[in-house]
Amino acid sequence: MKTICFYFQIHQPFRLRRYRFFDIGNNHYYYDDFQNEEIFHRIAGKCYLPATRILIEMIKQSEGRFKAAFSISGTALEQMEIYAPELIDCFKELVKTGNVELLAETYAHSLSSLGDADEMKAQVKMHTEKIQSLFGVTPKVFRNTELIYSDDISELVYNLLGFDCMITEGAKYVLGWKSPNYVYTSDIIPQLKLLLKNNRYSEDLSLRFGNYSWKEYPLTADKYISWIASSPESEKICNIFLNYEVLGSMYAAETGIFDFFKALPYYALKNDISFSLPSEIFATQKPVDVISVPYPISWVGEEKDCSAWLGNVLQQEAFRKINRIGERVRLCDDRRIRQDWIYLQNSDHFYYMNTKHQYLFSPYDNPYDAFNNYMNVLSDFMLRVEAQFPSSIENEELNSLLTTIRNQAKEIKQLEKKLNAFNKKKQMG
């Protein structure tokens, strides 16, 4: 029996306000609150709320046959809490059905897997704790930012993060003659199992659904399911990975996208096709081969690489500078600095600087404005970190000093407890 694995990405960055050179050292607030709120409310109204309610309805009407997985970044969850708390309630209802799986990812939807392993570990821990606190579940499957993956990253995911299951991109130049419709393992970590995105069926929805010139337009649920049903008998899995905004935002309700999704369980049942969660597939399907990925891949662009974020000197310089201060920030207890550190690592900031892809949702006129604005903010942020931990002190020396101070604080607390206990005893005696 064939099965479809749906996965949706939800992410929203905290966009930066216009931060001038003369703001450096004078104003430490970096965010465009008006724009962030306006964009979130617009997307929530068109996509997040109606789509989530439709999925709840689909699960009920299909008597639990429909299933889907979500990866929701920590910054998106924060914006839900701030701007649309009713959306959190909708996702709680969705998770309670047992038909939705929440995946682990980096809290900031960051590029830390490409430059700072310690930060990656810290953010995944932070994200897991956020998911646990909001929804009462612990993610079992890892999904990296924008499906970024390589052999080296697989080693981090298994050895550093402790996951043995991961989903990623099924890039054609990586797969070669192989099909994405199986479970694979990492070439260097055979214990790490992989699910790969089926590009054809994913992009039929994300790129071609509303394309009037596409020869298959209009795409209907029965036609779509019939294509999956007619795939080779041995290929039991079809992984359809999408940005959640495909439902209602990228394609408005008027295009029929919601009706298309609502009809899927009916036609899947007619064709003897089920729906499965990633963890269910990993538990029931054995890997058929290894996948070797020496250089990082992603699900963005025709190249399916990481050039959208790190493809030019602007992006590389910004990424190098922010990674340089990571160790010092992690030693810091200042809540505002730690919060800004997370928000500044949103991968979107680097995407806005790309000169390769036209990004329609960028708040900047061009990538050079994006770079200048980000670097102004980063310069101010680095001054604040420098004020707490001067760069003249080596990281190891600084870490040793902080450890000594913390140990002394613990000793003082223990001595205070003993003193209080002694005084109580004295009063009673």
Side-chain angles (χ1 to χ4, degrees):
M1 186 179 188
K2 293 183 183 296
T3 192
I4 296 172
C5 178
F6 267 112
Y7 148 76
F8 297 107
Q9 166 187 294
I10 299 179
H11 168 61
Q12 287 297 327
F14 281 92
R15 296 161 192 82
L16 304 176
R17 69 179 181 86
R18 295 291 174 169
Y19 195 86
R20 311 297 180 187
F21 175 79
F22 297 103
D23 289 326
I24 299 172
N26 297 311
N27 190 326
H28 304 318
Y29 193 77
Y30 309 138
Y31 313 105
D32 190 334
D33 293 332
F34 177 81
Q35 184 178 198
N36 287 323
E37 182 174 6
E38 189 276 325
I39 290 174
F40 194 89
H41 277 305
R42 173 157 42 86
I43 295 174
K46 289 183 175 181
C47 168
Y48 298 157
L49 283 166
T52 306
R53 287 167 180 153
I54 283 169
L55 292 192
I56 293 170
E57 179 187 334
M58 287 169 64
I59 291 169
K60 290 177 180 176
Q61 290 187 350
S62 68
E63 297 179 343
R65 287 189 298 275
F66 182 77
K67 298 178 180 181
F70 283 85
S71 184
I72 312 174
S73 71
T75 54
L77 288 169
E78 285 189 28
Q79 291 193 45
M80 288 181 193
E81 291 177 295
I82 297 168
Y83 303 129
E86 68 273 24
L87 187 53
I88 294 286
D89 293 333
C90 277
F91 273 101
K92 285 180 178 177
E93 186 179 350
L94 201 57
V95 171
K96 279 181 182 177
T97 65
N99 287 46
V100 165
E101 179 171 10
L102 298 179
L103 310 181
E105 72 154 272
T106 57
Y107 190 94
H109 201 76
S110 72
L111 303 175
S112 54
S113 63
L114 300 174
D116 191 337
D118 290 335
E119 181 61 24
M120 182 188 185
K121 183 179 180 180
Q123 284 194 31
V124 173
K125 180 176 182 289
M126 188 178 177
H127 183 262
T128 299
E129 290 171 351
K130 186 75 171 177
I131 293 293
Q132 288 171 332
S133 68
L134 285 175
F135 305 107
V137 296
T138 301
K140 299 175 184 175
V141 177
F142 182 70
R143 172 264 185 196
N144 199 15
T145 304
E146 305 295 337
L147 298 184
I148 292 172
Y149 176 82
S150 69
D151 292 338
D152 290 340
I153 290 173
S154 74
E155 191 171 8
L156 294 178
V157 171
Y158 185 78
N159 292 327
L160 189 66
L161 305 183
F163 289 94
D164 60 6
C165 300
M166 182 176 180
I167 70 171
T168 186
E169 167 63 31
K172 287 182 181 178
Y173 67 88
V174 168
L175 283 168
W177 58 268
K178 297 173 184 175
S179 166
N181 301 334
Y182 296 96
V183 176
Y184 292 91
T185 64
S186 161
D187 186 39
I188 63 171
I189 305 290
Q191 302 93 328
L192 181 69
K193 292 178 281 187
L194 303 170
L195 275 186
L196 310 180
K197 172 185 158 217
N198 184 304
N199 275 302
R200 176 195 163 182
Y201 296 127
S202 298
E203 292 175 5
D204 280 347
L205 297 181
S206 62
L207 300 181
R208 295 180 279 273
F209 183 83
N211 184 356
Y212 294 98
S213 60
W214 182 34
K215 65 178 182 179
E216 299 294 347
Y217 182 88
L219 181 61
T220 59
D222 57 336
K223 184 194 295 185
Y224 188 71
I225 291 293
S226 70
W227 291 343
I228 296 173
S230 63
S231 61
E233 183 60 32
S234 61
E235 298 180 3
K236 303 296 185 184
I237 306 163
C238 182
N239 302 310
I240 301 168
F241 300 165
L242 303 170
N243 188 322
Y244 201 36
E245 291 174 36
V246 166
L247 280 71
S249 184
M250 294 180 183
Y251 297 111
E254 293 76 23
T255 64
I257 190 70
F258 290 137
D259 294 326
F260 172 89
F261 264 83
K262 283 192 280 189
L264 286 176
Y266 172 78
Y267 288 105
L269 181 63
K270 278 188 69 174
N271 286 271
D272 197 28
I273 295 175
S274 66
F275 296 91
S276 296
L277 302 175
S279 59
E280 292 176 336
I281 294 175
F282 285 124
T284 57
Q285 300 288 328
K286 290 183 179 179
V288 298
D289 205 348
V290 301
I291 292 293
S292 177
V293 187
Y295 304 104
I297 59 173
S298 78
W299 69 346
V300 173
E302 290 183 12
E303 301 87 351
K304 307 296 183 187
D305 60 13
C306 295
S307 59
W309 303 277
L310 297 174
N312 64 43
V313 293
L314 305 178
Q315 297 164 312
Q316 292 159 13
E317 172 65 7
F319 190 60
R320 183 185 66 81
K321 281 212 165 185
I322 196 167
N323 280 332
R324 201 170 64 189
I325 58 172
E327 194 169 346
R328 289 172 183 269
V329 174
R330 284 189 292 276
L331 294 172
C332 181
D333 290 326
D334 186 303
R335 186 185 64 82
R336 283 291 302 277
I337 285 180
R338 294 297 294 268
Q339 184 183 57
D340 290 337
W341 168 249
I342 289 294
Y343 295 170
L344 289 177
Q345 287 191 79
N346 283 156
S347 58
D348 306 67
H349 301 311
F350 302 92
Y351 196 69
Y352 299 149
M353 301 175 200
N354 88 74
T355 51
K356 192 174 184 180
H357 305 282
Q358 184 181 12
Y359 187 53
L360 300 176
F361 304 107
S362 174
Y364 302 97
D365 293 332
N366 56 66
Y368 306 100
D369 283 350
F371 173 75
N372 288 331
N373 202 66
Y374 184 79
M375 294 305 283
N376 284 342
V377 169
L378 188 56
S379 295
D380 182 82
F381 181 74
M382 291 173 73
L383 287 176
R384 291 163 60 200
V385 175
E386 174 79 10
Q388 294 223 4
F389 305 118
S391 55
S392 57
I393 304 174
E394 293 293 329
N395 283 335
E396 287 184 12
E397 182 186 352
L398 184 61
N399 201 8
S400 177
L401 287 169
L402 286 171
T403 301
T404 301
I405 292 167
R406 285 166 184 159
N407 288 339
Q408 286 175 344
K410 286 178 184 177
E411 285 179 25
I412 291 168
K413 282 184 179 178
Q414 288 172 354
L415 289 170
E416 283 176 349
K417 283 182 181 178
K418 287 181 181 179
L419 183 61
N420 289 335
F422 176 77
N423 287 334
K424 281 182 182 177
K425 214 173 187 182
K426 192 175 180 183
Q427 287 171 5
M428 290 172 68

